[in-house]
Amino acid sequence: MTEIERECPTCRGRHRFRRLDRAEKAAVREEKGERHYVDNLWRCTAAGCRWYQPYLHTRGGGLLPEKFGEQAATSK
């Protein structure tokens, strides 16, 4: 499973989500701590959106650093 469709709380609509790539996982660990589990996190692929969340719910989600909003969310 490489993409799912979910409701994005920042975009206010249904969008495709994909798993975080290595750089995004590193950014989340830098913010939340080295031991934070990042293998179940998915990112909204809407243009400019930086929202990420666990697979089944928005609780535990957050925003990636601004530099990730500048690049296309669909690139890996």
Side-chain angles (χ1 to χ4, degrees):
M1 182 178 345
T2 59
E3 286 191 349
I4 57 173
E5 193 168 300
R6 293 274 184 241
E7 190 76 23
C8 179
T10 57
C11 295
R12 305 281 185 212
R14 286 189 78 74
H15 295 281
R16 292 193 179 275
F17 278 66
R18 64 159 175 80
R19 290 184 179 270
L20 267 58
D21 64 24
R22 275 194 170 141
E24 294 162 345
K25 287 178 182 181
V28 172
R29 280 194 175 125
E30 187 175 313
E31 178 186 330
K32 296 199 175 204
E34 189 60 35
R35 297 189 61 173
H36 187 77
Y37 185 70
V38 295
D39 289 336
N40 70 335
L41 297 178
W42 294 73
R43 179 194 177 157
C44 178
T45 60
C49 186
R50 299 181 292 134
W51 179 256
Y52 68 89
Q53 68 184 49
Y55 178 72
L56 292 174
H57 53 80
T58 58
R59 196 171 358 142
L63 293 175
L64 292 166
E66 287 188 32
K67 70 178 182 176
F68 291 103
E70 296 167 2
Q71 61 189 350
T74 55
S75 68
K76 284 193 174 183

